[in-house]
Amino acid sequence: MEKVSHKVWSKHRSSNKVKLLIDALDPTKGWAKDMEYIAWIDADAIILDLSMNIETIMHKQYPDADFIASADIRQGYINSGFLLLRNTVWTRTFLRRWWEVVDRTTICDQDAFDAIYTHYSREEKTSQRSLSSILSKKVVILRRDALNTD
């Protein structure tokens, strides 16, 4: 797996959300360091379902999840326009690995997610531990219209 410094900003603007999330959740100087969880919403997104309750999603529906996103309409795993993240060591490690997995000059954030998610899946399959159940609990990918619309 190729490593790219997470201190360098990406030419793909959409990928910079990963760097912003890393910085926000930094346990010593991040603005969200004391938050239990945060939500990312792209600037071009709008909220259509005002009844959606983030606390219910994070605490009751998916209490073990650290990363929640909707599936994407294209062939990739997720639509990264709306993300829910629990502020944990696992999340911070996952974000750093998401940022570092590929050359950011050629790959957007969603394709980079696909690369790191696939890498985690393969890593777990070759591990002696039953990590696949951990990944499926930590990263929850909901139906396409759960957090986003088509």
Side-chain angles (χ1 to χ4, degrees):
M1 178 171 30
E2 180 181 343
K3 294 237 177 185
V4 178
S5 171
H6 69 275
K7 296 181 182 200
V8 177
W9 291 94
S10 173
K11 291 181 182 179
H12 281 271
R13 289 186 182 133
S14 65
S15 290
N16 288 325
K17 75 178 69 171
V18 180
K19 172 72 168 104
L20 291 168
L21 290 166
I22 291 168
D23 291 349
L25 294 174
D26 183 291
T28 56
K29 59 184 180 218
W31 64 263
K33 68 181 180 191
D34 297 322
M35 304 292 176
E36 182 180 354
Y37 48 80
I38 62 172
W40 172 272
I41 184 168
D42 279 355
D44 64 347
I46 59 171
I47 297 173
L48 297 173
D49 181 359
L50 299 177
S51 68
M52 183 177 74
N53 186 305
I54 294 172
E55 289 86 2
T56 298
I57 294 169
M58 296 302 289
H59 289 293
K60 294 181 181 171
Q61 293 177 306
Y62 304 100
D64 296 327
D66 284 354
F67 184 100
I68 300 175
S70 283
D72 195 28
I73 195 168
R74 62 185 182 85
Q75 296 299 314
Y77 289 113
I78 66 164
N79 179 325
S80 64
F82 188 91
L83 305 171
L84 297 174
L85 301 126
R86 193 174 308 276
N87 188 0
T88 64
V89 171
W90 190 93
T91 301
R92 291 189 297 274
T93 300
F94 184 80
L95 288 170
R96 278 192 306 278
R97 291 183 78 185
W98 182 8
W99 180 254
E100 295 170 352
V101 70
V102 294
D103 177 359
R104 293 288 174 167
T105 61
T106 59
I107 302 294
C108 72
D109 65 312
Q110 290 180 181
D111 291 339
F113 178 90
D114 293 353
I116 193 61
Y117 190 81
T118 299
H119 178 78
Y120 264 78
S121 296
R122 286 182 186 143
E123 195 174 76
E124 291 178 356
K125 286 177 185 171
T126 60
S127 173
Q128 295 297 330
R129 298 179 291 160
S130 176
L131 294 175
S132 59
S133 62
I134 293 171
L135 183 62
S136 66
K137 287 180 183 176
K138 294 290 188 185
V139 177
V140 174
I141 302 174
L142 305 173
R143 68 183 193 278
R144 289 189 330 221
D145 64 345
L147 300 175
N148 301 84
T149 58
D150 289 341

